[in-house]
Amino acid sequence: MIHKHRFSSSHTTETQSVLSPRQRLFNDGGSLAFHGHKLSEKGLAIVTWTSAIVTIAVLAYIIIFIFLKGVPYIKPSLFSYTYNSDNVSLMPALISTVMMTTLSLVIAVPLGVFAAVFLTEYAKRGNRAVALIRMTMETLSGIPSIVYGLFGMLFFVTFLGWGFSVLAGTFTLSIMILPLIMRSAEEAIIAVPDTYREGSFGLGAGRLRTVFRIVLPSAATGILAGVILAVGRIVGETAALIYTAGTVAQVPDSVYESARTLSVHMYALSSEGLHIGEGYATAVILLILVILINACSAWIARRVGTGFGRNA
Amino acid sequence: MQALKEKIMRAVFFLTALSSILAVALICYFLLSNGLPAIGEIGPQEFLLGEEWSPSDTPPSFGILPMILGSLYVTAGAIVIGVPIGVLSAVFLARVCPKKLYKVIKPGVDLLAGIPSVVYGFFGMAAIVPLAGNSMLSACILLGVMILPTVVAISESAIRAVPEHYYEGALALGAGHYRSVFRVLLPAAKSGVLAAVVLGVGRAIGETMAVIMVAGNQARMPVSLFKGVRTLTANIVIEMGYATGLHRDALIATGVVLFVFILIINISFSVLRGKAL
């Protein structure tokens, strides 16, 4: 039995003292998850490199594949202001995407950042409410988008009577990105050195002034990184929007009208099955957006890293 | 005046912090109040263990066992494909990768996480379906790819969190680089890696759009890897558009079952992460 539990825990070696650490390290009995037999350096090197290559190859394949399929369908008519079944324009979807993203951020960013301020600057240690807030935040971040979609449909669309509308979609998205914003804001605020606050208090500023003049400006880049992640999540969202914002393919006149984002537009094209090529073209635009968003967030993450170092 | 302002803003901050509690409460209330009566009306046993889903028959039958099994099988398949590659890639990123290469691969993995699920779906439709058909296998492969970035990112940080002297100790005993990594670092990072797997399970079971586009979506008991399958998520999206009455409520109840699955997964994730190094 000792054999089997040889490496079950690296800390509690004293309970299994029959084998010396050296014996344990070199005794190839096969308890390794992915490998049954002899583990040579070379063999391990090969599987490790191969897996990494597979991961990157898959990414490259997806991107190249989508571009090859979509680029031939990109033409000016795809960007006309109104959609019809001839031009299959993605412009209205692009405008709706920008609109819903902006509105969701307008709702979720203040909420998330203020909540993070409460958790980090105001709440006392061991506060029961704080534990509950953290727990619900974790729960929210694990809920799949289709469940958000169902909730949005039941609450915003039906219960509040907003119908399939930009507004219902926006609120659903706001709840969905709230935990993301809250967590990144919290991390960014915690990373602000206490000496900043002490300096501010020392100069006679109150808590509120310290928060708005010192803490939040210093945490701005970190918060921005979270916001950009949230933008990425919204841009890629489909399941939460189909039954909240609906699938109307035109530019909405007001927030009470239905509209589709780029992702929903793609799904609609695929389920209609008539304009798959234009669907791939939309996928190309969406991919470019996502690549830009990722580049932004990487750039900001680097700036956060070079700011007041967390490890300093 | 200033003191009053401080007090008001303190209250504002507190109220915003309660928003997440309010959101969870509303989600639970609206899902349960719409879903549970339907489960009661259909009968919990017929609903959860019924093998037939035919909402338009007279009398209709609302058994979601095919979809529950569909979700579980597809998720298991995704784990079988995604976890080994993901964990090994994490090992690569954490302990093998040259610095220059890391600067290319890490953003690549992040990008993989950022690709929208519909785009994965379009890719699957044209790249996987022609080879494997609209089948459970296609869904497993596609989901396996989709959970990769989650598994890689969390396993990588778990492996990095193992104290350096574990590795040095192994080297000092004469083990080579890879042996030290695989027999000392990886076992020490076990609970973090397991947490990564659990989070991957959560992603896979909750994934909707990509699965719909490749899985075939037949609402019958899953029979083989090469036949179509319908998941819980797919059931909701496909039929919600035209469902009314009990049928609609049964779909919301499907959402409740999914929600319960996710809660269980979330709780195990928190427990595991609490134990991680």
Side-chain angles (χ1 to χ4, degrees):
Chain A
M1 260 6 256
I2 284 164
H3 219 66
K4 205 169 174 190
H5 296 297
R6 226 169 37 225
F7 256 97
S8 57
S9 163
S10 328
H11 320 286
T12 56
T13 44
E14 58 282 356
T15 56
Q16 338 161 346
S17 53
V18 182
L19 292 166
S20 75
R22 198 185 156 83
Q23 277 172 316
R24 241 180 286 131
L25 198 54
F26 291 94
N27 184 351
D28 275 336
S31 74
L32 191 62
F34 328 111
H35 248 246
H37 307 293
K38 297 266 174 193
L39 299 163
S40 70
E41 283 288 297
K42 215 174 190 177
L44 289 173
I46 291 171
V47 290
T48 313
W49 277 89
T50 313
S51 301
I53 291 168
V54 166
T55 302
I56 285 309
V58 165
L59 171 72
Y61 185 47
I62 293 174
I63 292 176
I64 293 168
F65 193 91
I66 295 285
F67 271 78
L68 286 182
K69 281 265 197 181
V71 169
Y73 288 91
I74 295 182
K75 41 188 173 251
S77 66
L78 213 55
F79 296 92
S80 349
Y81 186 73
T82 45
Y83 168 98
N84 58 46
S85 50
D86 287 329
N87 63 19
V88 204
S89 169
L90 59 79
M91 203 59 190
L94 188 59
I95 293 170
S96 309
T97 307
V98 174
M99 195 166 149
M100 278 197 232
T101 309
T102 318
L103 289 174
S104 306
L105 291 179
V106 166
I107 298 168
V109 171
L111 266 183
V113 172
F114 282 7
V117 167
F118 177 78
L119 289 178
T120 50
E121 303 287 312
Y122 285 87
K124 295 191 179 67
R125 267 171 191 278
N127 189 333
R128 280 241 182 101
V130 172
L132 191 62
I133 290 165
R134 270 181 223 287
M135 205 187 76
T136 49
M137 215 166 82
E138 297 263 313
T139 311
L140 280 182
S141 63
I143 294 177
S145 38
I146 178 65
V147 174
Y148 279 111
L150 273 183
F151 164 71
M153 184 191 81
L154 293 170
F155 185 59
F156 298 119
V157 174
T158 312
F159 183 75
L160 296 181
W162 292 351
F164 287 163
S165 60
V166 170
L167 202 60
T170 300
F171 271 87
T172 310
L173 290 175
S174 309
I175 299 177
M176 200 180 79
I177 61 170
L178 186 65
L180 230 166
I181 306 260
M182 228 154 131
R183 181 171 309 151
S184 57
E186 201 185 344
E187 276 173 17
I189 293 174
I190 287 174
V192 176
D194 270 340
T195 48
Y196 285 34
R197 298 181 181 87
E198 286 153 12
S200 168
F201 290 144
L203 289 169
R207 173 150 281 191
L208 194 59
R209 188 180 293 258
T210 307
V211 165
F212 279 105
R213 289 297 174 86
I214 306 294
V215 176
L216 287 182
S218 318
T221 21
I223 295 172
L224 195 59
V227 170
I228 288 174
L229 274 181
V231 171
R233 179 98 201 258
I234 294 173
V235 165
E237 191 46 60
T238 315
L241 286 173
I242 296 179
Y243 297 118
T244 54
T247 53
V248 170
Q250 304 296 354
V251 179
D253 290 330
S254 77
V255 290
Y256 299 106
E257 281 180 25
S258 163
R260 52 162 81 151
T261 63
L262 280 174
S263 296
V264 178
H265 181 62
M266 272 182 72
Y267 177 66
L269 291 182
S270 92
S271 55
E272 286 159 13
L274 298 171
H275 303 285
I276 298 295
E278 282 78 2
Y280 281 103
T282 314
V284 170
I285 304 293
L286 203 51
L287 259 186
I288 292 173
L289 269 180
V290 168
I291 291 171
L292 286 178
I293 291 169
N294 269 44
C296 266
S297 89
W299 184 71
I300 287 168
R302 264 204 305 281
R303 293 208 42 191
V304 175
T306 53
F308 30 81
R310 281 170 207 197
N311 311 318
Chain B
M1 187 57 209
Q2 196 58 37
L4 184 70
K5 218 164 128 192
E6 293 271 353
K7 259 195 185 145
I8 291 174
M9 281 314 282
R10 194 197 152 86
V12 169
F13 289 142
F14 180 63
L15 287 178
T16 53
L18 294 183
S19 58
S20 65
I21 301 180
L22 178 71
V24 170
L26 280 176
I27 291 172
C28 288
Y29 175 76
F30 275 89
L31 280 183
L32 295 180
S33 69
N34 284 278
L36 288 185
I39 298 180
E41 193 172 327
I42 297 161
Q45 194 155 359
E46 280 89 314
F47 182 65
L48 293 173
L49 301 176
E51 295 188 7
E52 186 152 355
W53 174 270
S54 37
S56 45
D57 283 10
T58 35
S61 35
F62 297 104
I64 60 163
L65 190 63
M67 277 71 87
I68 292 179
L69 290 180
S71 279
L72 292 180
Y73 289 167
V74 165
T75 303
I79 294 299
V80 167
I81 295 168
V83 167
I85 300 177
V87 173
L88 287 167
S89 300
V91 166
F92 180 82
L93 283 175
R95 305 298 317 202
V96 177
C97 187
K99 245 193 174 150
K100 273 191 184 157
L101 204 56
Y102 187 84
K103 282 186 186 154
V104 183
I105 296 185
K106 184 65 181 169
V109 174
D110 288 343
L111 184 58
L112 211 51
I115 296 178
S117 39
V118 254
V119 175
Y120 275 110
F122 265 76
F123 168 74
M125 256 173 19
I128 302 175
V129 169
L131 305 173
N134 278 311
S135 66
M136 195 193 292
L137 183 63
S138 299
C140 292
I141 296 172
L142 192 58
L143 277 178
V145 173
M146 291 179 73
I147 64 167
L148 262 183
T150 309
V151 175
V152 173
I154 299 190
S155 309
E156 189 197 340
S157 56
I159 295 167
R160 283 188 190 278
V162 178
E164 192 61 21
H165 61 251
Y166 280 44
Y167 173 73
E168 287 161 0
L171 285 189
L173 286 167
H177 173 65
Y178 284 96
R179 186 177 294 257
S180 309
V181 170
F182 277 92
R183 311 233 42 179
V184 176
L185 289 188
L186 204 53
K190 198 175 53 183
S191 59
V193 172
L194 212 55
V197 175
V198 171
L199 204 61
V201 169
R203 282 284 141 80
I205 216 164
E207 178 49 49
T208 313
M209 308 322 290
V211 175
I212 291 180
M213 292 161 85
V214 299
N217 305 315
Q218 291 88 339
R220 50 139 200 262
M221 292 296 277
V223 279
S224 113
L225 210 51
F226 304 100
K227 291 275 163 60
V229 68
R230 181 186 282 198
T231 61
L232 290 167
T233 51
N235 199 36
I236 301 169
V237 169
I238 291 169
E239 298 191 0
M240 191 51 99
Y242 58 86
T244 51
L246 185 60
H247 181 195
R248 178 175 175 278
D249 292 346
L251 292 176
I252 294 165
T254 311
V256 173
V257 173
L258 182 67
F259 189 56
V260 170
F261 276 171
I262 290 293
L263 285 184
I264 294 170
I265 290 165
N266 277 2
I267 291 166
S268 12
F269 176 69
S270 316
V271 170
L272 280 169
R273 215 187 34 181
K275 275 203 316 199
L277 272 169

